[in-house]
Amino acid sequence: MGYKGTAATAFDELFPAAPDCLPQAFAGETLYSWCARYHRLNGSNNPRVTSRRLFGHSTAGLRPELPSHLANFQNNTHQHLGCLDELLTQRTVLGVFAPFLARGAMAEISRHLSSGNSVAARALLGLSKSGQATRTSLRFCPECINEQLAAYAVTWWQTKNLWPSICICQQHGCLLVQAKDELLHRSSADFFLAHELDASRLNLPPDAPSAQLQLLDGIATWTTTLVQHINGGLDESALRLTYLLQAKKRGWLALDGSLRLKALQESFLSQCAMLATVPAFHFVKDADGINGGFLGSLYRQYPGHRHPSKHIVLMNFLFAEPDEFFKAYATVERTISEAGIQSAQKLVTDTSRKLIKLIEQAGHSVSSAAGVLDIPAEEALAHLNRRNDVARLRRPHIVGTPREIQLREMLRDGRTRTEIAESLSLRPTFIKDYLAQRPELKAQWEAAHTARETEKHRTQLVAALNAHPGLPIKTIRRLPKNGFQWLYNNDREWLQEVLPAIWKR
């Protein structure tokens, strides 16, 4: 009994009402890091004793991503590091989950972590599942560590490096070094500081190509922006419709609102497949599966929440910058709020309604209506044929009429089939069949058409480069009608002359 009384008296002396004896936290420092520095300053050699003093539990403070028993910690330190919400969002991994959580879920998770029910909190976040994307480890930038030691003679773990979607230091442009997982096992858990870990306790990152570093840098920018600007409230349904709306803008949505998954997969993998070699993004390797892997789960109405890393990777791929996403999401959210989810769903299928209105009410031909809506006439015709309930004009035969002369002239001039179809009120499939039956005319058209397309796309790319000097080619490629991809596929020799730098990477 005397021992307990002495311990209680010492504890009161350790944590007085005015917490002047507690170390100040560095900007962006994790709660685990602060505890590690306190552990060193206190001269303790038993991490479980330190955890019990701070959290009232022998291991609650030894979990870098989500310490628990936070009510005890707040009471024992007199809220030295701020209120519970600040503690969770600014000094634990919860900050990157917060934008994707409803406020009710956030409150429930806070309650569990406050009381010590970390299992329930992790389950609500999806961290109870296996897989690298759902785990967090201790990571640091070697350059940042050197700067910290030079300025303060001590190092600290930065919260942003705890976020699972951050794998690069944007300040120094290098991959983060990760501590080995065994350091965080319950049996061997301790309060570590980065400068104390030798190479045997670290997983050193491999050399990364510049394209991969650029991709990881973009993901890091998205992560930081979301954490700083959104404190909860990104709804799963609104997110799905926002992604569909952007897919529609990029040409990956059919007129009936169905996703062209294969086209989406091919484009995604051409840009992001290299992420699969990064442990935190192993889920990317399944994106070429029959159901699209994580891409399919984000686009379809599957129950449950998706890990923030999956959302962030898709956002970085779909949108040129965060502001573009925020505007699209605001449109969907406003529509849901004012008119309901069904009205918001119509945002991704309104092209079908507009097509039918142009044909039935405005008297347009299929080709003309498709031109107005900037969609392929073949797609419009196929969509209408599937519906079979739309009255539309039927064109007379053309062979042997003056329009055939016009058709042949326009083909020799290299005009696109869509242009010809709209001008002469023809079905694009008729032009395709007409050429197939006349090989010599087809060869003339292909040569003239290629020359026209080459000149058009060269002009587009030069205009884009002149209008946006200094803009990275990755961003240029996302601009509408930039011409790059066509030239890359069909006129690479000219492209090498105009942009020699991109071939030297």
Side-chain angles (χ1 to χ4, degrees), residues 96 99-100 160-161 163-171 173 212-230 275 281 308 311-313 315-317 319-326 472 474-475 478:
V96 79
F100 302 94
K160 63 182 180 181
N161 294 339
W163 298 333
S165 54
I166 299 286
C167 298
I168 189 173
C169 175
Q170 292 189 285
Q171 180 182 350
Q212 187 181 63
L213 291 175
Q214 186 177 11
L215 192 55
L216 292 173
D217 182 74
I219 291 172
T221 297
W222 273 91
T223 304
T224 303
T225 302
L226 287 167
V227 172
Q228 291 177 346
H229 291 83
I230 301 179
L275 282 177
F281 301 110
H311 283 286
I312 292 168
V313 167
M315 289 175 180
N316 183 61
F317 164 67
F319 300 92
E321 57 185 7
D323 280 347
E324 186 183 11
F325 162 75
F326 292 146
K474 175 186 174 182
T475 307
R478 289 178 172 176

Side-chain angles (χ1 to χ4, degrees), residues 335-376:
T335 304
I336 293 175
S337 175
E338 295 175 353
I341 187 69
Q342 291 184 341
S343 294
Q345 289 171 341
K346 292 179 180 178
L347 292 172
V348 299
T349 59
D350 60 352
T351 304
S352 176
R353 295 194 305 278
K354 291 177 181 177
L355 174 67
I356 294 170
K357 186 176 180 180
L358 285 170
I359 292 172
E360 292 189 333
Q361 299 181 22
H364 281 262
S365 66
V366 176
S367 299
S368 175
V372 171
L373 297 174
D374 195 23
I375 58 175

Side-chain angles (χ1 to χ4, degrees), residues 38-77:
Y38 167 80
H39 180 65
R40 297 295 183 275
L41 292 171
N42 190 47
S44 174
N45 60 1
N46 190 326
R48 290 175 176 260
V49 170
T50 298
S51 179
R52 193 176 296 112
R53 285 176 178 172
L54 293 173
F55 297 87
H57 188 277
S58 60
T59 61
L62 296 171
R63 298 167 184 170
E65 75 281 12
L66 280 178
S68 59
H69 293 272
L70 295 179
N72 290 338
F73 178 85
Q74 291 291 79
N75 180 64
N76 291 337
T77 60

